Amino acid sequence: MPITLLWAVDVYGRVYSLSTAGQRWERADDMLLELKRVTAGKGRCWGIGCDHHVYLNMMPSETPIRYREETYENQRWNPVDSFTDTLLPTDRWPWSDVTGMNPQPLHSFELPSRSWEWEGDWYVDQSCGDPSQTGGWEYAVDFPANFSPDKKWNSCVRRRRWIRYRRYIAQGTWAKIPLDSPRKPPLPLCDISCGGWEMSDQSGRYPYLWGVSQQGQVWFREGIHPRVPEGSNWEEVEVPKEVAQLSAGPGDLLWALVWDGNLLVRTGLSLDSPTGTSWVELESPGKEVEALHVAVGVSVVWVVTKDYKVWFRRGVNSHNPCGSGWISIGGEMMMVDVGLNDQVWAVGEDRGLYFRMGVTPSEPSGSGWIPVSAQWGNSKEVIRPSGQMTEASVLSCTDSDSELGPPDPQNSTDDTPVLEAAAPSVVPLGAADAPAPPLKTEDTPSASQHDAPKPFIPASDSFINSLVSDRDKTSTPQTSIAEVPQEEGEELSPVPILPTPEVVAQDIPWMNVDLEGAEAARSAQAAGLSLGHSSAAATYALGTLETSQGVGEEDGPVWTWISGGGCDVDVSSQISWLSPTGPLTSSLSLTPVQSAAWSEQQQQQQEHREEISKKPLERSNSVWVRKGGLRWWRDWKPQRWVDVGVALEQSTKSDGRKDSIFFVYYTQYDEKKHLHVFINEVTALVPVLRDCHYAFAVYTAQRTKQRWPLVLAAHTEKDMNDWLGLLSDCCCECRGITGPPSRQALWSTTSKGDIMVHEPSFSLEAAAHTLSCDLMFWRQVPGHLRCVESNSLGLVWGIGWDGTAWVYSGRNGQQPTPGDAAQVHQQTDVRSVHVYENQRWNPMTGYTDKGLPTDRPMWSDESGLKECTKGNTHPPSPQWSWVSEWAVDYSVPGGTDKEGWQYAADFPVTFHGHKTMKDFVRRRRWTRKCKLTLRGPWQQVPPIPLSDISLMPCLAQSRMEQVPVWALSDKGDVLCRLGVSPQNPAGSSWLHVGTDQPFKSISIGGANQVWAIAKDGAVFYRGSVSPQNPAGECWYHIPSPPRQTLRQLSVGRTSVFAVDENSNLWYRQGLTPSYPQGSAWELISNNVTKVSVGPLDQVWIIADGVPGFPAETPGAVCHRLGLGPMQPKGQSWDYGVGGGWEHISVRGNSAEAPRAPHPLPAGPPRSPLPPRPPTQVNGNAVGV
């Protein structure tokens, strides 16, 4: 890592630099230089002097800074004198620039400042042709034209270039920037900021310089270039309000502080527009507290308010320069500065320098403050009569605020020494109340060499002095900078106070004491020296230790400004003066007695530190960021994939609460923009099928209503899984969801096979104030299934695309245990992909692949709307892999001939398996198998492949030894699973139930009601099913709806709903305990593909589409509203998340909203009969 410098200024304007390879502050060589502020960049540092001039210090380098001045000598030919400098009135100047518009004689060039010197005299550029023949001249027909070194017969004009170099000689020193001439210079500046050398578009650029005048105007320094470090002139930038201070980051961020305490953000900064386009005003982060200082980095913004609280701006990026919110950071600071790598430096309220520890790209807010513990450039020696001196490094460290009581009056004698103090916060090591004895020349030989001490008053134009002059420095001195969150007001617990060593007056020689130092020591006698000490991740309570020296030219500085823009430090840097456990060194003269007392204090303090380190540390607010690159399916037309940057930002409060924001950064027409999604508003994270990308959709309530989720795609499966897992964890964390799904959970699957779960609340099925479907939060469960069924006892069964039965092996509603890792099994699934080959008959050649212009593609999907060939057809998603080759499928509904063809009169009509005279088109289906392998909490139930399954719903308080489970095999056989219980969810064996035809749908409801649909659409009811007779006795045929064929049904506690082949939803009327078959079918709705009826007779469906959004992918979760005992059919639909959902099961949700108890009637009961106990045993139909 190269050696870089940290710059700082004290209250007297003295400028210091601290090298990353050194251990000592070095003062600027110019002892007369006094600066108010400095701003550093890579290889340079700017400053504002007390004379209101701008100064520049360029770091020495091996490459000199040279600038080439050039001018052109122009001549015209005439018949008498040949080529002369006598030109026509319309010609350019005899000496001009390359354009000829501006005159530039040789004598007009002057050095811009004293920081430059000429390297030599003017000479002719000899790069054009042979210098001995051409003399450096270029010829042309006329001005302006294309010049060439060859002289022709029609060359009437010529020119040659003169060059002279000047060198910048002020490297390593502070050089004054000359005033603009002839343009009007800016008014006296009160603040400057350097930045812009790491623009997002191009890195390694030269920096920009911004300034603020005392009248609140903003100025921009133009012409700064690697060969022109000083720049050329100032340009004013319009601002809506008067600005007090500004900060420019290394990138394209610029924030300004206005006099009313609000903040201005400059937008539109770019290489083409370095001054930006517009301002956006933001309020101060503190409530009713104005902002005091602002500092920005590449993607961070820090603000200090007038109560010295530190704030961090969330969501700041070049695409979103205004950010999204404020986070309170512990510590009390006067100003902060953001340097390279977004590292943060600060000047504390005690005028000490501090560094923000733990700042990384993933945690930009850091973890705590540590002091900058470097030594001073020169130590002031205190001369004793004996000529002996003892030096020691003094540091009083505690873990919270401490106060030293007043000294004993009895020990306050004239012989008590008083150490020099540099600030009111410095604590004397002896009794400080005693008056200082007069200093005599014979007692102190060095006294004659010292001038009278300077008054302890900062510069009149000091930023700190002007803004905090109203604070009382002597009333209650702040003795530490404890990182306490903004929200908490309690004080830190007291800690043992380090005693001040007692000294014997007659054993201590006189010391040289400044009068001001004595006064400062008296005013700070109650202040403690404290410095928090803990591990690297701990929060530091920083003390107010400066130096115990008098305020003179060689004393330790009292800091007022710091700039780390040129200090290359990161979290991995090994810097001696930034060690959290390193000593904070100052030069103090101690007697042997004091040294011994101090050693005892060190031992006591170490024991105290060990005791404190065993206690839990209090965390402050922090921010964690994860960045990456994804692809985004653009929201507007033309819709296409766009490369975007994404960032997940998580804020952790001091009480452990977390909130997160997900950002998407994109560029539109060269304008940087962004989208953001609050994680607590995310309702679903669903993997989707999009052009064979590893894509997933992010849903919110608003985007669900608009039917337009945020679709993102990763480059690899690992990246997608990482982002999905990270976002899902943040969503669950902010909603307080932990562990596996509960027993009441709603289960669903998507058309892609992903398993989604929703944790219901009482309001989901409440009669009033029902939770809206678009507010439901769905999370993904590992695994892959075609359909899933559950009940409230925690049993969950699923069926894969290949018919394999799986049972959930997680611990529903229970806390995970160390043995849960063994519940994860390998899960496989096999799926068939189909394409259709289409042909049309013609009289000449018979059936060929030459169709009519209006026909479907000759290779298409089943609908014929999309062209699908063998070559361009891929597995459903990249997670699948082919396991077979393309083959003709003979098991197509409707039958085929011996070659697999199906025939029809035209496209599209119903196809059949034999050819007739009227069949002019035919098709056949090609199939290919693909396989998916993953791991999830699912256990396989061999050996029979299934097509449908149903678990009996029950109430939450039910207790059942065996749970009835009915299923259909892939051949249509009816099966009953025996031995299923919460302890053995997979059961023991299958019991075959006889039927006279194959079935395609089955469902079991309350009171062991079993309903089924045959493959021909006939409906059957199984009679006499009971726990003693789980298979029942016989089937009762139920008439189907007129002219409709049912395909799926679901039975609840007292109701039956079914879906026909035309996506209509039907309700079975007249169900009673005495006549459970019902009386008639009633049409409820259309646009339904699947229905699920729960134990509370709640109805949920998968809708084929959402009205008003025809472009959305079929399959949306939908809830029936208005259901009740008097309205079992419901009233309306509430559409939720959609776009590719395949199946839903609400048969586990038996959570009823608590009902208010009815007041008991006064007086004796009117009926002599005892009240019936509220018995509601599972399976018993409720009688009315």
Side-chain angles (χ1 to χ4, degrees), residues 88-345:
L88 299 178
T90 57
D91 282 342
R92 59 182 61 186
W93 302 90
W95 293 87
S96 68
D97 59 2
V98 65
T99 65
M101 303 299 294
N102 302 312
Q104 290 187 167
L106 295 180
H107 61 80
S108 66
F109 288 87
E110 297 179 356
L111 293 174
S113 66
R114 296 181 180 179
S115 303
W116 297 85
E117 69 175 6
W118 294 111
E119 286 191 345
D121 205 352
W122 290 97
Y123 65 92
V124 176
D125 183 12
Q126 304 291 341
S127 61
C128 298
D130 187 1
S132 61
Q133 298 180 2
T134 64
W137 292 102
E138 294 179 303
Y139 297 86
V141 176
D142 201 354
F143 299 118
N146 295 325
F147 287 85
S148 68
D150 299 328
K151 181 180 178 181
K152 300 179 182 179
W153 66 271
N154 59 349
S155 299
C156 298
V157 296
R158 68 178 182 178
R159 71 176 184 182
R160 61 179 173 180
R161 181 170 60 177
W162 291 77
I163 296 176
R164 191 180 191 184
Y165 283 92
R166 53 183 167 94
R167 181 194 297 267
Y168 188 78
I169 60 174
Q171 287 181 294
T173 61
W174 288 95
K176 182 184 296 186
I177 302 300
L179 297 177
D180 295 351
S181 179
R183 300 182 58 180
K184 182 185 69 173
L187 297 172
L189 299 179
C190 64
D191 187 43
I192 57 173
S193 182
C194 174
W197 64 84
E198 291 183 1
M199 282 286 189
S200 302
D201 307 72
Q202 181 179 353
S203 60
R205 297 277 298 185
Y206 45 87
Y208 299 137
L209 183 67
W210 296 79
V212 177
S213 67
Q214 292 183 349
Q215 281 70 27
Q217 301 168 330
V218 174
W219 296 82
F220 176 76
R221 185 70 176 174
E222 291 184 331
I224 298 179
H225 191 271
R227 296 189 300 273
V228 187
E230 299 171 322
S232 57
N233 58 276
W234 291 95
E235 175 189 358
E236 185 177 359
V237 179
E238 295 293 335
V239 288
K241 294 183 177 181
E242 294 183 355
V243 175
Q245 181 253 332
L246 57 71
S247 177
D252 46 11
L253 293 182
L254 176 69
W255 283 52
L257 173 67
V258 295
W259 283 106
D260 60 5
N262 288 345
L263 299 161
L264 293 177
V265 183
R266 191 65 172 172
T267 61
L269 290 172
S270 64
L271 294 177
D272 298 329
S273 178
T275 58
T277 57
S278 61
W279 295 96
V280 177
E281 185 173 2
L282 299 177
E283 294 183 355
S284 172
K287 295 180 180 179
E288 300 180 357
V289 180
E290 299 177 357
L292 175 67
H293 185 85
V294 62
V296 305
V298 176
S299 58
V300 297
V301 174
W302 294 72
V303 168
V304 177
T305 51
K306 287 191 175 180
D307 56 357
Y308 296 160
K309 300 299 181 184
V310 183
W311 299 81
F312 177 84
R313 186 69 174 176
R314 299 181 57 187
V316 176
N317 186 277
S318 61
H319 295 257
N320 180 26
C322 296
S324 57
W326 294 103
I327 297 296
S328 176
I329 302 296
E332 295 189 357
M333 301 294 172
M334 284 187 168
M335 63 86 62
V336 293
D337 183 77
V338 181
L340 298 179
N341 308 314
D342 284 341
Q343 302 299 311
V344 184
W345 311 84

